[in-house]
Amino acid sequence: MILRSCVLSAAIAATLMSTSLPSAAQSTPPRAEQSANPLIGAWSTPDGVPPYDRIRPEHYEPAFDLAIAAAREQSQRIANDPAAPTFENTIEAMERSGRELSRVANTFFTVASADATPANQAIQKNIAPKLARLSNETMLDQALFQRVDTLYQQRADLGLTPEQNRLLEQTHKRFVRAGAALPADARTRVAAINEELANLGVAFGQKLLADQKANDVFLSAAEVEGLPADQASAAAAAAEAAGKPGQYLFPATRSAAEPFLTAAPNRDAREKIWRAFTFRGDNDNANNTSAEIKRLVELRIERAKLMGAATHADFVLADSMAKTPSAAMELLMGVYTPALVRANEELRDIQALAAKDGVTDVQPWDWRYYAEQVRSERFALDEAQVKQYMPLDGIVEAMFETTQKLFGLTAHERTDIPAYADGVRVFEIREADGRKLGLFYADWFARPTKRPGAWMNSVRVPNGLLGETPIVVNNQNITPPAAGERALVSLDEAQTLFHEFGHGLHGMLSTAHYPSLSGTAVSRDFVEFPSQVYEHWITEPTILQAHARNAEGEPMPAEMLESLLKAQTFNQGFFTVQQLSSAILDMRLHQLTALPADFDAGKWEAAQLRELGVPEEIGMRHRLPHFSHIFDGGYSASYYAYTWAEAMDADGFDAFKEAGNVFDPELAAKLRREVYEVGNTRDPAESYRAFRGRMPTADALLRNRGLK
Ligand SMILES: [Zn+2]
């Protein structure tokens, strides 16, 4: 299974919701400004959607400034309320607040990632420190925290509903985890640490990008011989654009390196590409990231101690479904051990095939190439032929049909909704009784200004308090079809389509009363469960058979379908060892309680890999020198979450298989009620148990990956 990038709203929510932003409702901007700027004032669009047809880039910053000022004022009003704190005048008031800022921010951040033009990037850069400042002020506001803390201490006597109690506990926890409960000097130190961490993260990311660019590889025609035509022609065009016509440019990115390493017969060229990709951030130049890594880890250790946690990993996991590093490590090692056995079997197959080529010392740059040979020999699958049976339109039909069969929902395209870019489609999702559930923006095609990967984000979350209809967005980078042709997708892209729509359903189906507990605002190790479990239905033969059809309308041949599904477990030893070595090192690094003065991330990494017995031919999916997830992506001590969620999705889907019907109505209703609808209104472990009747085990994951 390929790791996907995921819920953008989590990042936005972290900036916005977690600050419990105060409302801008009372702020009335001058009339002239209202009429000139479509972001300010009421939106007279259908369903109150963002007026993208009228917004120009220069509208965002003034709208942000007004909304931030109003948010600050409202926060202070709650904090300085002369009345004694009540749930309504404090916790609920915070939930009602920040509407204007959420609206502007969600409208903007939807576009910032999907259409990252220089103008939008400049806005993002200007806005980020203003949002961070507001967040810090709010979370460290002692008067506000005193009110929250007073209510928290009295919570048993307040007559709260279970959801209100959860909201109070979660709000209190956010303040405490931001440092609000610490003595003044420690609070000051935490704020300084947070600021330095943020700066170090930015420095890490910028060095990495610079080193990636410095590591561009230009190859000759001889070196790309045997490469598929689409890869070669894209590389030739890139070299031409870079002023080196006649050569072939391969950037040191995963999306360029992995296909090259899989397909290129030239071994020396493979080594060049592998080295450029693998040593990003680890070269002897100004872009080396080791100093940033050391300082980041040191500061995280210091902050954890100030917060009273044993380690940074303990601090992070206290706010997760796993709850402790040892619970996460138990799962990781339980999967790693059998994966290593399988990987060594795969290595023997690869060595045997490579020997026929005269390669007797298989190296890391050989693995993918020979694995692909083993795969095509064993499964006789031609990716290009498979794609002919996978039209995007058919897969979208399959996705909506699955939703109808499981939850009774239907999708109806809306053409009256202004979208932010060409090619974005908008669907109204309806309940079985015709009631409107929400709006779904589908932005499936690649464009030059879109960031890579796939993700979901929320423009508006469903909630009873404000009575709002949800709007969710899915993004992907599917190659647009040539004029007059059908868009085709790979199985992996089809799984991603289902995955992101799973997040979308999670974002639309929530029945939470309070916005900050709604939808995908759940812990990181739970948020991938609703999306990953939804992926399973695309590989159900009945669904694929009905919708995977070629241009003549013929279904995918039975042998092709069978091979395609069987090939899902191929090379999983390699993938699992790669993924888990990164997850295990992330956790171990963040379980350290001190760093020696001469700590060197590279040496530490090498020693850990030796101890784990990771074959050198495999290595890590993300080496520490460029592990963006954990150094500038908010996933420190959390990379395990992908594996954690996979254990749940495999085990969760097993429930349907055990029932003998993958659309079992009773189970589907339970999945909706106990998982998709609950948001963060209760502990995620409780939600899982309510659906499955017990906690997940790793058995189904191991079986699905063919490791059992
Ligand atoms: Zn995801």
Side-chain angles (χ1 to χ4, degrees):
M1 186 168 296
I2 304 296
L3 298 183
R4 298 182 170 88
S5 126
C6 291
V7 189
L8 193 65
S9 62
I12 298 174
T15 331
L16 298 175
M17 295 299 224
S18 71
T19 56
S20 302
L21 287 171
S23 169
Q26 282 82 353
S27 144
T28 311
R31 260 190 192 286
E33 219 165 333
Q34 275 189 36
S35 59
N37 191 330
L39 281 160
I40 299 169
W43 293 352
S44 55
T45 42
D47 290 283
V49 299
Y52 281 121
D53 53 341
R54 295 172 51 223
I55 300 171
R56 291 194 307 276
E58 61 267 30
H59 292 140
Y60 283 114
E61 284 194 59
F64 263 116
D65 287 342
L66 269 177
I68 287 173
R72 180 170 283 126
E73 183 199 318
Q74 181 69 6
S75 171
Q76 284 163 1
R77 196 177 305 155
I78 297 171
N80 302 324
D81 189 339
T86 63
F87 183 85
E88 289 70 26
N89 74 15
T90 303
I91 305 297
E92 201 169 281
M94 285 161 65
E95 287 291 304
R96 287 183 189 281
S97 65
R99 289 183 69 188
E100 191 72 21
L101 184 51
S102 303
R103 196 173 74 153
V104 173
N106 290 337
T107 299
F108 173 69
F109 284 111
T110 295
V111 175
S113 302
D115 201 17
T117 58
N120 286 336
Q121 285 179 315
I123 297 165
Q124 192 165 7
K125 205 170 156 220
N126 293 342
I127 288 306
K130 294 182 188 176
L131 290 174
R133 199 174 318 132
L134 177 66
S135 168
N136 275 335
E137 279 173 20
T138 312
M139 297 314 287
L140 295 176
D141 184 323
Q142 288 301 288
L144 195 55
F145 176 64
Q146 282 314 318
R147 296 180 75 87
V148 173
D149 192 49
T150 301
L151 292 167
Y152 179 76
Q153 305 305 336
Q154 305 167 344
R155 67 192 182 285
D157 308 318
L158 296 175
L160 302 177
T161 67
E163 186 178 338
Q164 289 173 329
N165 192 53
R166 173 81 175 170
L167 178 63
L168 175 52
E169 285 176 356
Q170 292 290 307
T171 307
H172 186 260
K173 187 163 76 178
R174 273 205 305 271
F175 276 93
V176 170
R177 289 178 67 80
L182 296 174
D185 52 342
R187 235 170 28 236
T188 311
R189 181 66 195 135
V190 167
I193 290 174
N194 286 343
E195 196 179 326
E196 194 179 345
L197 284 172
N199 292 336
L200 283 163
V202 172
F204 180 91
Q206 286 174 346
K207 280 189 167 189
L208 200 54
L209 193 60
D211 210 37
Q212 176 198 306
K213 288 188 173 149
N215 277 321
D216 275 352
V217 182
F218 287 90
L219 296 179
S220 67
E223 287 174 309
V224 301
E225 217 180 288
L227 205 62
D230 58 334
Q231 273 193 57
S233 61
E240 173 118 33
K244 297 197 180 178
Q247 299 190 41
Y248 298 81
L249 168 56
F250 293 88
T253 60
R254 184 176 303 281
S255 57
E258 287 188 342
F260 186 92
L261 293 170
T262 304
N266 187 311
R267 194 177 188 217
D268 292 341
R270 286 203 306 267
E271 182 175 350
K272 278 187 197 174
I273 299 286
W274 182 84
R275 286 190 182 281
F277 179 60
T278 305
F279 286 92
R280 284 167 301 140
D282 191 21
N283 291 300
D284 194 10
N285 61 22
N287 299 326
N288 191 290
T289 57
S290 61
E292 280 77 17
I293 293 177
K294 179 167 185 252
R295 188 68 187 142
L296 277 159
V297 176
E298 275 171 357
L299 288 172
R300 286 169 180 169
I301 291 171
E302 187 189 347
R303 186 178 57 185
K305 283 182 184 159
L306 285 169
M307 296 287 191
T311 69
H312 178 67
D314 286 277
F315 175 66
V316 170
L317 272 76
D319 191 27
S320 72
M321 179 176 168
K323 300 206 171 47
T324 63
S326 61
M329 281 300 280
E330 192 185 319
L331 171 71
L332 293 177
M333 295 312 292
V335 178
Y336 175 76
T337 306
L340 186 60
V341 173
R342 172 55 46 84
N344 280 312
E345 290 166 12
E346 291 167 2
L347 178 59
R348 285 192 286 279
D349 289 343
I350 282 165
Q351 282 167 334
L353 204 67
K356 292 186 197 164
D357 261 4
V359 174
T360 51
D361 60 327
V362 169
Q363 297 291 332
W365 47 89
D366 296 321
W367 187 292
R368 287 180 180 84
Y369 179 72
Y370 288 106
E372 180 57 21
Q373 316 267 309
V374 175
R375 189 179 88 108
S376 55
E377 198 172 89
R378 202 168 289 167
F379 302 103
L381 271 176
D382 178 343
E383 177 106 332
Q385 279 210 328
V386 171
K387 263 189 153 184
Q388 293 304 318
Y389 290 93
M390 305 275 281
L392 174 63
D393 286 349
I395 303 303
V396 169
E397 275 171 28
M399 183 175 95
F400 288 145
E401 185 184 307
T402 300
T403 310
Q404 182 161 24
K405 283 184 161 170
L406 286 172
F407 308 129
L409 307 176
T410 56
H412 309 266
E413 189 148 12
R414 291 270 300 261
T415 51
D416 59 328
I417 304 282
Y420 55 85
D422 286 344
V424 178
R425 294 170 70 185
V426 181
F427 298 88
E428 179 176 317
I429 307 296
R430 291 185 197 149
E431 295 281 8
D433 61 9
R435 192 170 54 84
K436 186 189 303 173
L437 178 69
L439 293 175
F440 167 57
Y441 288 41
D443 189 356
W444 288 313
F445 291 116
R447 75 174 68 87
T449 50
K450 193 187 273 192
R451 72 166 213 193
W455 65 93
M456 166 272 187
N457 66 283
S458 290
V459 177
R460 216 159 51 199
V461 297
N463 66 86
L465 185 71
L466 308 170
E468 291 177 320
T469 316
I471 304 174
V472 299
V473 186
N474 275 186
N475 263 281
Q476 211 164 325
N477 273 282
I478 295 168
T479 307
E485 300 208 355
R486 307 188 309 163
L488 302 172
V489 296
S490 64
L491 179 60
D492 182 60
E493 286 171 325
Q495 285 168 325
T496 304
L497 201 83
F498 272 59
H499 177 105
E500 301 305 336
F501 193 61
H503 282 309
L505 289 171
H506 195 200
M508 284 186 285
L509 284 169
S510 185
T511 55
H513 186 68
Y514 294 105
S516 72
L517 298 179
S518 177
T520 56
V522 297
S523 68
R524 187 154 285 158
D525 55 3
F526 191 72
V527 75
E528 295 303 323
F529 171 51
S531 56
Q532 290 183 180
V533 76
Y534 199 73
E535 280 181 50
H536 287 269
W537 277 277
I538 180 62
T539 42
E540 267 313 297
T542 52
I543 287 286
L544 254 185
Q545 260 159 358
H547 299 281
R549 289 173 183 270
N550 67 10
E552 285 73 48
E554 295 156 354
M556 183 181 284
E559 319 79 70
M560 186 186 277
L561 181 65
E562 201 190 322
S563 288
L564 192 63
L565 298 182
K566 267 197 191 151
Q568 291 278 293
T569 57
F570 179 70
N571 210 30
Q572 286 296 322
F574 172 86
F575 286 123
T576 310
V577 166
Q578 273 216 322
Q579 181 192 347
L580 291 196
S581 54
S582 288
I584 292 165
L585 263 63
D586 165 37
M587 197 60 80
R588 286 186 175 177
L589 183 65
H590 290 115
Q591 283 183 289
L592 297 175
T593 52
L595 289 192
D598 62 347
F599 177 82
D600 178 285
K603 285 185 188 145
W604 185 85
E605 176 187 281
Q608 293 290 320
L609 294 179
R610 266 197 308 281
E611 195 239 297
L612 282 167
V614 174
E616 282 182 17
E617 297 88 344
I618 295 179
M620 300 167 76
R621 181 173 172 85
H622 307 281
R623 289 193 53 224
L624 295 181
H626 49 244
F627 202 164
S628 282
H629 290 80
I630 68 170
F631 295 125
D632 71 331
Y635 263 75
S636 61
S638 294
Y639 195 68
Y640 79 94
Y642 290 101
T643 311
W644 187 270
E646 192 183 329
M648 282 191 284
D649 78 66
D651 184 62
F653 190 70
D654 252 23
F656 287 91
K657 289 200 266 187
E658 287 162 14
N661 174 6
V662 296
F663 295 105
D664 184 87
E666 217 168 289
L667 266 177
K670 221 185 214 183
L671 183 66
R672 174 174 176 159
R673 191 176 66 239
E674 308 294 356
V675 175
Y676 284 94
E677 287 186 357
V678 291
N680 195 22
T681 60
R682 68 175 173 210
D683 186 293
E686 268 179 57
S687 296
Y688 192 84
R689 227 180 278 118
F691 163 62
R692 191 63 166 114
R694 56 167 175 75
M695 287 296 276
T697 70
D699 290 0
L701 179 160
L702 292 171
R703 205 167 52 244
N704 284 359
R705 286 197 173 210
L707 302 176
K708 228 185 154 140

